[in-house]
Amino acid sequence: MTSSSPFTLHRRHLIGIEGLSAEEISGLLDLAEEFVDLNRQIEKKRTTLRGRTQINLFFEASTRTQSSFEIAGKRLGADVMNMSVGNSSVKKGETLIDTAMTLNAMHPDILVVRHHASGAVALLARKVDCCVVNAGDGAHEHPTQALLDALTIRRNKGRIEGLTVAICGDVLHSRVARSNMLLLSTMGARVRVVAPSSLLPSGIEQYGVEVHRSMESGLDGVDIVMMLRLQRERMAGSFIPSVKEYFHYFGLDEAKLRRAKPDALVMHPGPMNRGVEIDSAVADGPQSLIREQVEMGVAVRMAVLDVLARKLPNA
Amino acid sequence: MRETARGSEPHPLMLVNARVVDPSRGSDFHGDVLLSEGVIRDAAFGLAAGGIPDGAEVVDCKGAIVAPGLVDMRAFIGEPGAEHRETLASASHAAAAGGVTTIVCQPDTDPAVDDPAIVDFILRRARDTAVVRVHPMAALTKGRRGEEMTEIGLLQAAGAVAFTDGAKSLTSAQILRRALTYARDFDALIAHHTEDATMSAGAMNEGAFASRLGLPGIPRAAETIVLERDLRLVAGTRGRYHAASLTCEDSLDVLARAKEAGLPVTAAASINHLSFNEMDVGEYRTYFKLSPPLRAEDDRKALIRALASGLIDVVVSDHNPQDVEMKRLPFAEAEPGAIGLETLLPAALRLVHSDEIDLVNLLRALSTRPAELLGLRAGTLRPGAPADVVVFDANMPWVLDPAQLKSRSRNTPFDEARLSGRVLRTIVAGRTVYEYV
């Protein structure tokens, strides 16, 4: 069974949100909606990717993203293989390009790649014949996370355009923040970033966002509070003095959340550091969409795999 | 290069019908140049009409430019230790094809050039294998570790023309202060890579573009802070100091103040920083990953103005061969560096074609000034000077094909670039070592 939507992307790979039009983003979200319904049924399987081989190539450990892509591929009927650095020849000194060429020779149809270096997925995509989906590269982009966040917002608020979204925390090191800033601006949301100056990338203005250095002003009247994960190793680089001080000023607790609109919703890409960037009472509270984000993740990744596969030879 | 064992004494060479440009005298005229017994005999209008010596080879330059051969003050070679990237021989052929008659190689070798025996080794290898002159800079500190000064006197006596830790910056102000103080007694030049080690762990220039690519940035202050510190030390010690490769506008202000104060300070800019800016990194193109990194277009423009005004004394190729395996990596993990010996002159001529600098001043920064700083008999067409000469057509258009390069490595940012200006002939000690056919 093929999907009802005739929509295609004007690209072979999904490396980033950068360059996607509002129509393309909407098209992906519309298709993902169909998969949300499918995923709630007992019979979740489709045959769209039957005969296709999907390899999840993860150079950086990830439980949730990898399993989300795995389930997405399997529900569409693909044969999915997981390959992570721990048990691959990468540890034996093989270069990224060699790994890519080796896998390419096995004729996969879709490669889902995560890598710790910015640009690594684009580099690999130039060397292979199949579709490549970026599952996160360094501090560059994580497009499927931004798409699942957008789907979650749209389903709860009915729209993205005109909403005010605050992205809070370690923007400097975050690929999630970069992809979300690009997507949300493209879709017409008003985007704020809230972070200590030491965790803001230089030239942040280019994203057309409003910059706030305090949660009190940054969350004032917002519709969506999007928290970012603080990578604890950042403490060693003296970006912030301590977890305690960070939580005091930038951790999301109920008091800070009261600055947002009463019906504001809280998101987090996971995995959460409870008590570092988010208080458990908020993470598990009535305004939290965090579990729904995970559900949307599978649907969005099915939509991405489905759409990219439409461009494959013999599709 | 000392006299090579290969070949006999060259014939006298009469270069006729040339545009003779000698930046050492600020002259630019139509005329002829006579070379014999390894030296320049004369350069004048109507020289050939006055008689051609017996046995002389006459070359009709057809209006092409004859100028002193280029002196490249900053080239990383790889011999000893990384001969797979470049040898003195391969670098010398690349230099010859680029009109560079003197290479000043950096001590970033394995082992580092921190002992007179290694200086001697390089000079012997160059004598036996290289077709252009090679002069080593020696390490300023032992093992280039930044801890103990090298034997500046003995290294200089062995043939080191300056002292530097190459692509490494000294973290210890005290070591640099003592080195400047000691080196002054030998009138030795200290060249320094001005980049604070704790701030330069990034992959490219800090700014909006790096943020978009998700790459860690190197702020301009990493360079300017070190330069300011160094110049403060120069003011106190009066040692001769050379900033090896400046990249940003702020540094130029600092440099200008030091020069106005009469400090013994000079500076170079690399051809890459005069030719490209950070946007050339594009989609993570690692051939544009350099150390120090490419900066913004405003910085590039400021460097060009500083070159035209003479604030920047020298243009260097910053030739740094890297094999494919060091470049075919994610950007942050790739080695920095680009080859440049063969493209130095044609790339620099772009600045002449765009009317940003005149030819005489450009050639001065490529030959006369570096020769002066290093105390080399080069960079001039004065009678009696060594016959190191380049003949080039400043306008000939061509497209760079990396496969045609003489270097052992192919990491050129000028890959498939359209260039105007081509070296026709390179002459070292009166012998033609390269001819464009």
Side-chain angles (χ1 to χ4, degrees), chain A residues 11-295:
Chain A
R11 62 194 65 223
R12 181 154 66 100
H13 310 301
L14 182 68
I15 303 297
I17 296 297
E18 184 151 25
L20 284 183
S21 65
E23 291 69 32
E24 287 175 309
I25 292 165
S26 295
L28 282 168
L29 299 184
D30 293 343
L31 181 58
E33 292 275 8
E34 295 176 25
F35 290 122
V36 174
D37 297 337
L38 178 74
N39 287 337
R40 289 176 178 177
Q41 294 168 17
I42 294 168
E43 173 55 58
K44 303 177 180 65
K45 288 281 267 192
R46 288 223 175 151
T47 55
T48 321
L49 298 185
R50 191 168 62 191
R52 300 292 189 191
T53 303
Q54 171 188 336
I55 300 179
N56 295 337
L57 178 59
F58 278 60
F59 292 90
E60 202 179 61
S62 154
T63 312
R64 70 178 58 211
T65 307
Q66 184 167 326
S67 52
S68 182
F69 269 109
E70 181 177 355
I71 289 170
K74 283 180 171 167
R75 287 198 180 150
L76 290 173
D79 295 314
V80 184
M81 193 201 114
N82 288 313
M83 192 173 155
S84 46
V85 163
N87 49 21
S88 81
S89 53
V90 174
K91 283 224 165 142
K92 298 174 194 161
E94 189 176 72
T95 66
L96 175 65
I97 301 293
D98 289 335
T99 306
M101 298 311 288
T102 304
L103 293 179
N104 192 49
M106 300 177 192
H107 297 291
D109 299 287
I110 300 168
L111 269 179
V112 176
V113 187
R114 168 168 289 191
H115 197 280
H116 49 81
S118 301
V121 179
L123 174 66
L124 187 144
R126 283 197 290 273
K127 306 288 177 186
V128 296
D129 304 313
C130 60
C131 305
V132 174
V133 181
N134 183 0
D137 65 321
H140 178 225
E141 282 230 45
H142 191 354
T144 57
Q145 179 71 42
L147 287 165
L148 77 88
D149 289 343
L151 182 63
T152 310
I153 294 170
R154 203 176 77 168
R155 285 174 62 90
N156 283 277
K157 292 288 184 187
R159 66 197 166 105
I160 296 172
E161 190 176 358
L163 295 178
T164 303
V165 183
I167 301 175
C168 311
D170 184 0
V171 179
L172 178 64
H173 300 100
S174 176
R175 54 194 173 215
V176 175
R178 280 174 178 74
S179 289
N180 264 314
M181 288 189 289
L182 292 165
L183 185 147
L184 292 168
S185 325
T186 303
M187 299 308 285
R190 283 194 296 274
V191 183
R192 293 181 188 171
V193 294
V194 188
S197 294
S198 57
L199 290 178
L200 281 173
S202 91
I204 183 81
E205 314 76 34
Q206 69 180 317
Y207 293 99
V209 298
E210 212 179 282
V211 178
H212 291 260
R213 268 86 181 183
S214 87
M215 291 289 270
E216 286 66 29
S217 75
L219 298 194
D220 192 38
V222 301
D223 298 288
I224 303 285
V225 183
M226 202 178 258
M227 299 306 297
L228 298 172
R229 175 182 163 76
L230 181 80
Q231 282 154 7
R232 284 163 181 263
E233 60 271 24
R234 302 304 173 205
M235 247 70 77
S238 254
F239 289 97
I240 53 164
S242 74
V243 167
K244 186 174 143 210
E245 179 157 325
Y246 184 77
F247 184 72
H248 179 78
Y249 290 107
F250 292 95
L252 185 66
D253 55 20
E254 287 178 315
K256 292 191 189 98
L257 184 56
R258 277 196 288 275
R259 306 291 296 229
K261 282 190 185 156
D263 63 346
L265 296 170
V266 175
M267 302 173 76
H268 191 295
M272 284 182 283
N273 293 305
R274 291 170 184 265
V276 177
E277 70 262 351
I278 192 161
D279 189 62
S280 282
V282 173
D284 305 327
Q287 288 167 275
S288 169
L289 292 176
I290 297 169
R291 271 191 296 273
E292 188 176 333
Q293 285 175 273
V294 179
E295 182 190 354

Side-chain angles (χ1 to χ4, degrees), chain B residues 333-353:
Chain B
E333 295 167 12
E335 282 292 322
I339 56 170
L341 282 165
E342 279 166 89
T343 43
L344 176 59
L345 181 58
L349 285 170
R350 283 177 166 180
L351 304 177
V352 175
H353 296 313

Side-chain angles (χ1 to χ4, degrees), chain B residues 342-343 398-402 405 412 414-419:
Chain B
E342 279 166 89
T343 43
W398 59 296
V399 177
L400 186 120
D401 172 7
L405 292 172
T412 172
F414 293 94
D415 187 354
E416 295 183 9
R418 289 167 192 285
L419 297 162

